[in-house]
Amino acid sequence: MNSIIRRMILLGGALLVATLPAGAANVLKVKSGEIKFKSIQWRETDKAFRVVNMQDVTLSIQRADILDMSVDKPPEMLKAEQAFAAGLMDQAIPILEGVVTSYKYAIWDNKAREVLSKVYYNKKDFKKAADVFKEYLANTPPAEVSLELRKKYWQALIDAGQKEALKKELEAAAASGNRETMAIAQFMRGNLNRDGGQKLDALLDFLRVVLLYEDIKELQPESLFRASEMMEELKDPLA
């Protein structure tokens, strides 16, 4: 089946299979060299990949032994992206969920999660969007997570009413990451504290943005306004 991605789950073995187009540039870099392969399978029971190389030899490879991996884009992924772009969210969902299953730990599972999170968000299913965002973040090195996607995750948590989860995420982001991420996290935490009546905490968050992140220009005007607002309310015992 040269042009078809084959996916199956074998009962008892919990075997996840992705069979790739013959001749495609599918390569594993391992400690002993490179392995070009025809198919790659994640075996949940063995906690290892079953790989069929170009000579039809079946290999068992631990994730820890893989230095790098190149897997061609599945045709299903392109189909799902086209459905998403066309606004066909319900059509995209089962395709993306299939890619997540078939390509577990093989790059495209997480790329599918990224699109799937946006699909659910566009459908206004904010809880599912937040859940998929969380899975994506758990499987992605922090340095590779775009600020745009992180902000979408935070917004999904807000829209899903998961304020405690949001606060934890913002505290973690405010403590580490690049300057823009840290500044936006502190600004959003300030808004969260303000909405929760924690005016002093909110004031401190807004002041940190003003004083420590002067270079993040887009946050300065509103941070100054919010800080001034909090100071006025803290002066007024009835506020």
Side-chain angles (χ1 to χ4, degrees):
M1 300 174 68
N2 289 345
S3 62
I4 300 175
I5 298 292
R6 198 158 39 90
R7 299 187 302 269
M8 61 186 178
I9 299 177
L10 298 182
L11 294 176
L15 176 61
L16 308 177
V17 179
T19 301
L20 303 149
N26 301 298
V27 180
L28 294 179
K29 291 184 179 180
V30 296
K31 295 172 184 177
S32 59
E34 289 189 351
I35 301 170
K36 292 185 178 181
F37 59 89
K38 292 181 178 180
S39 68
I40 185 166
Q41 312 161 357
W42 174 253
R43 286 186 63 91
E44 197 66 40
T45 50
D46 296 340
K47 301 296 181 186
F49 285 107
R50 175 182 284 180
V51 177
V52 177
N53 68 14
M54 303 307 290
Q55 292 75 42
D56 291 319
V57 175
T58 301
L59 308 168
S60 180
I61 302 177
Q62 300 290 321
R63 286 181 70 195
D65 293 331
I66 298 175
L67 304 177
D68 198 9
M69 177 187 293
S70 175
V71 182
D72 276 1
K73 186 173 188 174
E76 290 96 331
M77 193 68 192
L78 179 58
K79 186 178 178 182
E81 289 172 343
Q82 290 171 339
F84 174 60
L88 303 173
M89 305 303 165
D90 290 331
Q91 183 177 317
I93 288 171
I95 302 172
L96 291 164
E97 288 176 341
V99 174
V100 169
T101 299
S102 297
Y103 287 83
K104 188 172 184 179
Y105 303 133
I107 299 175
W108 292 101
D109 60 334
N110 225 30
K111 291 185 180 295
R113 285 189 187 100
E114 181 177 350
V115 180
L116 186 59
S117 64
K118 296 175 183 178
V119 169
Y120 279 126
Y121 190 85
N122 283 11
K123 281 175 60 68
K124 300 189 185 303
D125 191 337
F126 302 121
K127 184 181 184 305
K128 281 192 176 180
D131 289 344
V132 178
F133 273 126
K134 188 173 182 178
E135 288 178 12
Y136 170 82
L137 293 172
N139 288 279
T140 306
E144 295 179 17
V145 179
S146 70
L147 179 56
E148 176 194 0
L149 200 65
R150 201 177 289 277
K151 285 163 67 176
K152 283 184 179 293
Y153 174 43
W154 295 340
Q155 189 60 50
L157 289 173
I158 291 171
D159 293 334
Q162 298 181 18
K163 291 189 176 180
E164 285 304 312
L166 174 62
K167 192 166 186 177
K168 287 181 182 178
E169 291 292 333
L170 293 177
E171 285 173 353
S176 63
N178 62 46
R179 286 183 58 77
E180 188 175 9
T181 298
M182 294 171 73
I184 291 173
Q186 293 194 57
F187 177 79
M188 289 186 68
R189 187 175 63 187
N191 282 332
L192 195 64
N193 284 327
R194 173 178 173 270
D195 293 343
Q198 296 170 291
K199 297 175 184 179
L200 181 57
D201 288 338
L203 172 61
L204 293 174
D205 282 328
F206 294 132
L207 286 177
R208 286 189 196 98
V209 177
V210 171
L211 299 173
L212 301 179
Y213 299 95
E214 287 184 88
D215 52 315
I216 313 299
K217 301 296 185 185
E218 64 271 22
L219 292 179
Q220 291 300 307
E222 193 166 0
S223 296
L224 279 166
F225 173 78
R226 295 291 189 197
S228 175
E229 183 181 55
M230 289 299 96
M231 284 190 283
E232 287 299 317
E233 290 189 13
L234 284 166
K235 285 180 187 176
D236 185 352
L238 299 178

